[in-house]
Amino acid sequence: MAAPETSTAAVPSLYTNNALRNAFGGVLSFFILLLIGVMAFSIRLFSVIKYESVIHEFDPYFNYRVTQFLAKNGIYEFWNWFDDRTWYPLGRVIGGTVYPGLTLTAGTIWWLLNSLNIPLSVETVCVFTAPIFSALASWATFLLTKEVKGTGAGLTAAALLAMVPSYISRSVAGSYDNEAVAIFALIFTFYLYIKTLNTGSLFYATLNSIAYFYMVCSWGGYTFIINLIPMHVLLCIVTGRFSSRLYIAYAPLVVLGTLLAALVPVVGFNAVMTSEHFASFLVFIILHVVAFVYYIKGILSPKMFKVAVTLVVSVGLAVCCAVIAVLIALVASSPTKGWSGRSLSLLDPTYASKYIPIIASVSEHQPPTWPSYFMDINVLAFLVPAGIVACFSPLSDSSSFVVLYIATSVYFSGVMVRLMLVFAPAACITSGIALSQSFDVFTRSIKFQLPGISSNTEVDAAETSSATAEAQNDAVKTEKSEETSKNRPSKKSKKKEKEEKPSTKAKAEKRLIALPLDSSVISLLLLILLGAFYVVHCVWAAAEAYSAPSIVLTSHSHDGLHVFDDFREAYAWLRHNTDVDDKVASWWDYGYQTTAMANRTVIVDNNTWNNTHIATVGTAMSSPEKAAWEIFHSLDVKYVLVVFGGLVGYPSDDINKFLWMVRIGGGVFPHIKEPDYLRDGQYRIDSQATPTMLNCLMYKLSYYRFVETDGKGFDRVRQTEIGKKYFKLTHFEEVFTTHHWMVRIYKLKPPKNRIRGKTKKSKSKTSSASSRAKRSGMGKKNPWH
Amino acid sequence: MAISRYVLLVFTIAMLASTALSDPILTKVDRRIYLTSQIVRIASTLKVENPGPLIMSEVLLAFPELQAKNLAYLMASSHESKGKAKGSVVSLPIKAVNLNDRPSALTFYSVILPKELAAGESFTLDVLAAFTHALRPVPEKITQADIQLVLYGDSVYYLSPYEVKVQSLSVKLPDSKIESYTELENTKVHGSEIKYGPYENLPPFSNSPIAFHFQSNLPFAVAEELVREIEISHWGNVQVTEHYKLIHGGAKIKGEFSRLDFQARPNDRGASAFSFLVAHLPARAHSVYYRDLIGNISTSHLRGDSKKTELMIEPRYPMLGGWRTAFTIGYGLPLQDFLYESEGNRFLNMTFGSPMIELAIDTLILKVVLPEGSSDISAAAPFPIKQWRETKISHLDIGGRPVVVLEKTNVVPEHNQYFQVYYKFSGLSMLREPLMLISGFLFFFAACIGYMHADTSISKSSASYLAKQQWEEVQVLIHKVQNVISRCLATHDNLEASLRDLSRTGDVQACKAARKYADGLLKELSKEMKPLLTSLQAYPSAAQILPKVEELVAKERELQEKVMLKHSTAVEGYERKSGARDIDHRVALLQQKITALKQEVDDLLQFIDDII
């Protein structure tokens, strides 16, 4: 008698238990999310703890400078800001050429804090913007994955994204770059798209357009969204998944999104003019045609419909052909086929190296190597295929989107290492799905087969089934929302789905139950091990690989940590000991840093919008001293800054970048010929080097008096003795060299006094005349003459 | 105070009236000029004698215009007190005076003697004067390889409005490398020291220029501007932040700067450069930082003991002649070491100048940020100073914190004397900001709770609102239905369990009892179900879910029947003692149906769950 009684006591508690578990699950997942956010934030603080709270690398310095300007002068001044500190003498209209999302975000945070009387400096806000937004990004990932595959998968994906090394590399504290904000915007836009697709709510569609607008503000990568979503819409139409929800998810995005995107000055009319946006409009038209066809189909009898179709198709084809022909003619008439250089190099990976060396010269535009995949997404690379499989059972609108997302982003990441960043969230989402589903299966099969509770298997079965129901609650949310929403389109297809879904699920459950106990325990342990490995790798990557701010270098020697702070030493020197209007020439890599840290005018910077200007500097660097002096003098340059790693072995110095100076310079000014600098197809600075190489300005500025350091002139980067050891500078004088010689600053000597140098002048005149004659034969040499 | 001032006035008038008559005589003047640092210090010992008939109470000190411009610090003390206890030198009050009948190229300061001198009495006085920018680099621009030479000019005779009986002068130079010096009678050179004198019986304002041109590679660290901010937190911390704008004030460098030469031969290539500065911070200084506009500067060393904390900082680059740099150092100090309380007043007692050793400061701005809510603020310093008030808004302030700003030009290390800022502050004000935070959060949470409980719908009679309410009621009903169904299912499970028990123990009676119990329970449940279904039918919004619910109930009933049938067949079989296999065989078909039905019920439950 005792047994039944206890069980009856348990019966009513079963239901309350369930409700309680639901509530408990909600609270638990809330706290898990909170902790994921905290983790995403804190794992990115290694750079602050190991180094200092400082802006990193190159581009962040520009963003920081813009934010400072915004904080100081306000938004209207910002839109109209003409920056005369850069691209001298051209200048740059900052307000119209930057993606303002990041700057406005940080500026708003700063303004908000200051109006609450929390006087944080602009720098502090900028340093911590990226970690804050990576916490937001992991929450957005949770939302997106929850829409696709349920809460469990969402939490797993959020945890994975919070520490994926690829994203950490761009969002450590101090890495104040567009991508930090943009990845959040990207994921959130996708989430809102999926949400709209699942609910068919116009509210979410509007939010989606606004999120898209934020993305357009933040990063040029928004073209990925405006191409991926149309692709998905097309996929849905082709696979017969057209519904009014799809229409609501897409049509407002294109209309509102394009209008909003055109508001961003840097995009402007590009939002309708360039080919990157073409796909979205095409799909927009197709969507309307399909919707119209469905509508006609509804009101006509099948026979009439057939007639109408033949009529419309024959007329429509003719019109379409005409329109497409015109379009193609228009597009083909532009030299780049309406695509921007970077987009084109995505479609044709060899494009940049063939035509635009300046894009190819950026290391992050190179294709990644296999190890870099393992470095950046680690074990996710193995989980992704499993996640894709999980997305196919069952395939819904949202899971097909994830599959499409990962497929395209894998391709893009294969072309440019920088786009690994777009791939990482997709990898996290699919791996999250894979992990959560396999955990689901294993724990369920363990629960069924544990000997201790075999007697009340049935009760457990009921419980677990309800638990799984809970977990898969959202997977079926599609139907629920359909049911609740007032307009219920295409009831048929939905019904079909409904019927097939429970059956497949039931089948799956039955099949999964059959997993043996020991193997599922072992698999579970292996999965946990895999996860632990991932965590260890991510923490290592965050702490060691990606936390260095790159303006400060450290090395461990036997007597402790050695700090190389040469860059800031040089910039501080420039800031305090040169005239405020002096112009500093350097290779474009250091432009942003020079304007931000030294507050001096530069000739070229990392914006690289004017190839000719960069080529001029490249030409000067690869010319002999006198010609270089003339070019620099014509540009009103007073100081020349070169980065030299030969003394301490800093590999990314100007000599190693020299090939790009020659290539870019030679691309515009043909008298710079790359073969002149090459010996056996290699850039060499040792005794085998060509005389052109040994006489060019870059060589001279780098190695000036270098031989006196050790008597031999041994370059630790190139691992060789330099070719030309003793030489004097005639047109430049050394004014500053940093402690480890990493940055050397030279001053242009003033032009010779005319009267004193009269006899010399006549000589030089003839030589310059002859050189001019040569020059005219060779084409343009210096655009500023 | 007023009386003494009045007395003083009377004396001054009296003295002015009789100046020509009763000037004191300086019977012995001993002057030592220290040129061993960029700050020139002149220490003089004067023996003053009052020859005249009148009582004398003050002594005038004269400085030529050139020196007066650079005069940073002037202190007079009685010679005796210095001899007795070294620590407690009582400085005599000094004030600038403007005398009409004296040469205008001279600036006069009058020292008020501690006691009036009667005729014939004498008094010995120590005067210390410190000058900045008194050493002029000649040549003004040097290359890196050159040696910095500086020029100092003064008068060999003590410049005084009085007659000087005996005087001597000694000049201390940094080392013996002297380019040139003025040679007069009685000049002796001992290494780095040059002695002049003694000279006797010189009339007032005797003057004979001398000049020294010598090598000096001492650090010419000049802070063009130093802003010290002292922020008091009554939670136990005094935060000091010092912003330096530094320049090498020596000979400017011209031409190249070669790092190679500087590193290889630091003693003769860029010898005048200085690459580090030493600051003596108070003991127990903590959280020291050293940074500039673009981040931390990684070259500094901190040593500390119980008496002081020594901070050695290196600027980002070695400071050659004329080079500038700017940086910030900051540190925290324990409050109890610097803040005292007296008669309800609190006062901060800190040193005025920079902690840097041998730093000349052109302009020093000292800001004392008092906690929000301080009142009755006043500041006192041992030397004349410009002061005004500001307000600074910092963390979570509403009205802002009162700031006392003190400004002084030409500051030398001798100015590192204690100054006081008095103010009133109630301890309760300390709790203001935490309370503000607490109440802010309280308000926020209360607002959240309020929002969650408030009904924000505009109209209570609108269709959508009613539909929403109805839907909620339907949800409650369906939850009840689900509850009943799950209880039914649990009962079925109990029956199954009893069957298993039966097969194990063969206890037919227990099994029957279980059956009876389950029967009763199920009957009750079906009774419970009926009103639920009827009330559910009443709702129009339940129309779409109702068929499902009804289907569920029907399926459940079917399941119930099958389970009962299975149970009774099994029990019957046992009673007939038929073999287990036989029973299984008979039950098997039923069992199949039961599983199928169960699956269906589960699916339906799940489906309804999803809709709710």
Side-chain angles (χ1 to χ4, degrees), chain A residues 7-8 11 15 52 117 469 480 483 498 565 568-569 573 576-577 705 708 734-735 737-739 741, chain B residues 256-257 259-261 263 294 296 316 323-324 393-397 479 487 490 494 517 606 610:
Chain A
S7 57
T8 46
V11 166
Y15 170 72
E52 56 180 284
N117 281 341
K480 166 206 160 181
E483 206 72 34
K498 218 185 294 167
D565 204 356
R568 288 193 293 188
E569 183 182 343
W573 185 85
H576 294 295
N577 297 303
R705 297 188 72 187
E708 292 169 52
E734 183 185 13
V735 284
T737 297
T738 57
H739 190 252
W741 289 50
Chain B
E256 292 200 338
F257 163 68
R259 175 69 71 163
L260 179 84
D261 291 339
Q263 278 170 337
I294 53 176
N296 290 354
R316 284 198 186 273
W323 284 9
R324 285 159 207 276
I393 291 183
S394 186
H395 294 274
L396 295 171
D397 286 348
H479 270 308
R487 273 156 69 193
N494 279 338
Y517 180 76
Q606 164 127 35
D610 289 344

Side-chain angles (χ1 to χ4, degrees), chain A residues 186-206:
Chain A
L186 181 88
I187 301 171
F188 198 64
T189 311
F190 286 156
Y191 157 68
L192 285 170
Y193 170 69
I194 294 293
K195 183 85 186 169
T196 324
L197 197 58
N198 281 348
T199 57
S201 149
L202 208 51
F203 171 70
Y204 284 114
T206 318

Side-chain angles (χ1 to χ4, degrees), chain A residues 248-416:
Chain A
I248 288 173
Y250 187 66
L253 175 69
V254 171
V255 177
L256 268 181
T258 306
L259 281 177
L260 288 172
L263 291 181
V264 182
V266 64
V267 178
F269 276 107
N270 284 351
V272 285
M273 303 276 273
T274 57
S275 295
E276 278 100 338
H277 305 80
F278 183 64
S280 65
F281 299 123
L282 191 70
V283 172
F284 187 66
I285 295 166
I286 293 173
L287 188 74
H288 277 92
V289 169
V290 171
F292 185 67
V293 167
Y294 269 86
Y295 175 70
I296 297 290
K297 212 176 181 178
I299 47 172
L300 291 184
S301 66
K303 212 175 186 183
M304 286 285 285
F305 180 68
K306 223 168 218 175
V307 174
V309 163
T310 44
L311 193 77
V312 168
V313 162
S314 50
V315 175
L317 265 182
V319 175
C320 276
C321 284
V323 169
I324 286 171
V326 168
L327 268 178
I328 286 175
L330 275 178
V331 167
S333 66
S334 84
T336 58
K337 313 276 181 288
W339 293 80
S340 70
R342 274 174 210 194
S343 309
L344 212 56
S345 65
L346 273 182
L347 299 179
D348 174 12
T350 57
Y351 175 81
S353 49
K354 260 189 270 175
Y355 300 107
I356 318 175
I358 200 143
I359 290 180
S361 77
V362 182
S363 63
E364 60 186 22
H365 291 166
Q366 310 290 338
T369 51
W370 284 113
S372 77
Y373 272 98
F374 188 73
M375 176 70 197
D376 277 357
I377 58 169
N378 200 243
V379 301
L380 302 189
F382 311 124
L383 290 170
V384 164
I388 294 174
V389 170
C391 281
F392 275 103
S393 61
L395 188 70
S396 63
D397 290 352
S398 43
S399 65
S400 68
F401 179 77
V402 170
V403 173
L404 197 66
Y405 177 20
I406 191 128
T408 46
S409 60
V410 163
Y411 169 73
F412 287 136
S413 72
V415 176
M416 258 192 206

